[in-house]
Amino acid sequence: MVMVDTAEHTRTCIGVRSLQLTATDGVPYQVLNGCRVLVLDGRHGEVALPLAQAARAQAIPIVLDAESSDRPRFAELLAAADVVVCSAPFPTAHTGERDLLRAMDALLSFHAMSARFVITTRGERGCVMMLRDCAADCSTEKEVYTMQDLDAALAAPQAPSADPVPTPRHFAFCPGAGHAPLPLLCCDALRGATVVDTTGAGDAFVGAAACALVRGLNHADLLRLATFVAGTKCGGRGGHANLPTAEQVRSAGLLL
């Protein structure tokens, strides 16, 4: 059941956790035939982990929608992921770091050791991508040391734009002495979006990010596509009803 608060534009999901699939149920390796990206959400770890291991052996990228740390084999799934997408509470809860940027750095350093980047979604405040590779395609505009620094930089006025899909801004996170700065890309939420129901927005964001990986989009365009899809979805009730069509995405200039 999903309860939507139309005044506050929030929702609460109430459900019963389904039975866990186990290895004795069989691992559906056939789903990897022709697969170009494997998306996992941390559930059914006994089946998901060998599937992830098989995907890695075939050089199939693994995207992990990291929601909760208390699921079986989650730590191993996190360590196997090429891309991690999570909401703002997860990095700090999982790592124990109070600052979000330091928590994302800790995820890359000690938990998601195979990940190329981590994306944290922040609702109406947009999203933040932290990349492991200091030589990635991100020029740095400003160094930041904490999430407070980053929020202050993001609050600076920008030139007006008629494009509803924001252009990501580039920063460099400086963890401290002896550590090279890590590239950050920050994308604001979709401009002018009407929020009716956020149910499924996270799934829409993850799905769009996976699509961007398949299409070979760069990091900035990945964030723009995911922001557009998730933001558009929030304009309608339910998890699927207001997802944008392929034509809408192309009209927004987000896919070739």
Side-chain angles (χ1 to χ4, degrees), residues 15-29:
V16 177
R17 183 172 294 184
S18 61
L19 293 175
Q20 284 287 325
L21 293 175
T22 66
T24 58
D25 297 307
V27 179
Y29 293 108

Side-chain angles (χ1 to χ4, degrees), residues 201-220:
D203 294 329
F205 189 101
V206 171
C211 177
L213 290 174
V214 170
R215 293 296 187 104
L217 301 187
N218 62 33
H219 298 122

Side-chain angles (χ1 to χ4, degrees), residues 2-230:
V2 180
M3 298 187 298
V4 178
D5 185 334
T6 57
E8 297 295 328
H9 303 299
T10 61
R11 60 95 174 94
T12 300
C13 298
I14 302 174
V16 177
R17 183 172 294 184
S18 61
L19 293 175
Q20 284 287 325
L21 293 175
T22 66
T24 58
D25 297 307
V27 179
Y29 293 108
Q30 67 275 9
V31 302
L32 298 179
N33 295 335
C35 178
R36 297 176 65 185
V37 62
L38 176 65
V39 179
L40 302 171
D41 65 2
R43 292 179 172 87
H44 310 298
E46 295 295 337
V47 173
L49 182 59
L51 198 60
Q53 292 168 338
R56 177 162 293 282
Q58 298 178 44
I60 298 171
I62 301 165
V63 176
L64 179 64
D65 182 359
E67 298 177 342
S68 175
S69 303
D70 64 355
R71 292 169 176 158
R73 315 303 294 270
F74 179 83
E76 293 160 280
L77 288 173
L78 184 59
D82 295 285
V83 173
V84 178
V85 183
C86 55
S87 60
F90 176 80
T92 53
H94 188 75
T95 65
E97 291 282 354
R98 297 179 63 180
D99 180 81
L100 179 57
L101 294 185
R102 293 195 176 278
M104 292 174 70
D105 179 27
L107 273 181
L108 286 173
S109 299
F110 306 114
H111 303 276
M113 288 81 72
S114 299
R116 290 178 274 165
F117 55 84
V118 173
I119 304 173
T120 299
T121 59
R122 305 173 69 210
E124 64 185 10
R125 304 182 80 172
C127 59
V128 179
M129 173 191 284
M130 179 178 288
L131 295 105
R132 179 186 302 280
D133 185 3
C134 296
D137 61 346
C138 302
S139 59
T140 57
E141 295 182 352
K142 180 178 176 62
E143 293 183 348
V144 295
Y145 297 85
T146 65
M147 194 65 221
Q148 186 176 7
D149 291 343
L150 181 59
D151 280 335
L154 291 172
Q158 298 184 74
S161 173
D163 190 343
V165 187
T167 298
R169 286 175 278 175
H170 302 253
F171 299 90
F173 170 59
C174 300
H179 297 275
L182 296 174
L184 298 175
L185 274 79
C186 303
C187 190
D188 293 337
L190 189 66
R191 298 188 184 105
T194 300
V195 178
V196 175
D197 181 3
T198 60
T199 303
D203 294 329
F205 189 101
V206 171
C211 177
L213 290 174
V214 170
R215 293 296 187 104
L217 301 187
N218 62 33
H219 298 122
D221 286 341
L222 181 154
L223 290 185
R224 296 186 77 238
L225 175 63
T227 294
F228 175 77
V229 172

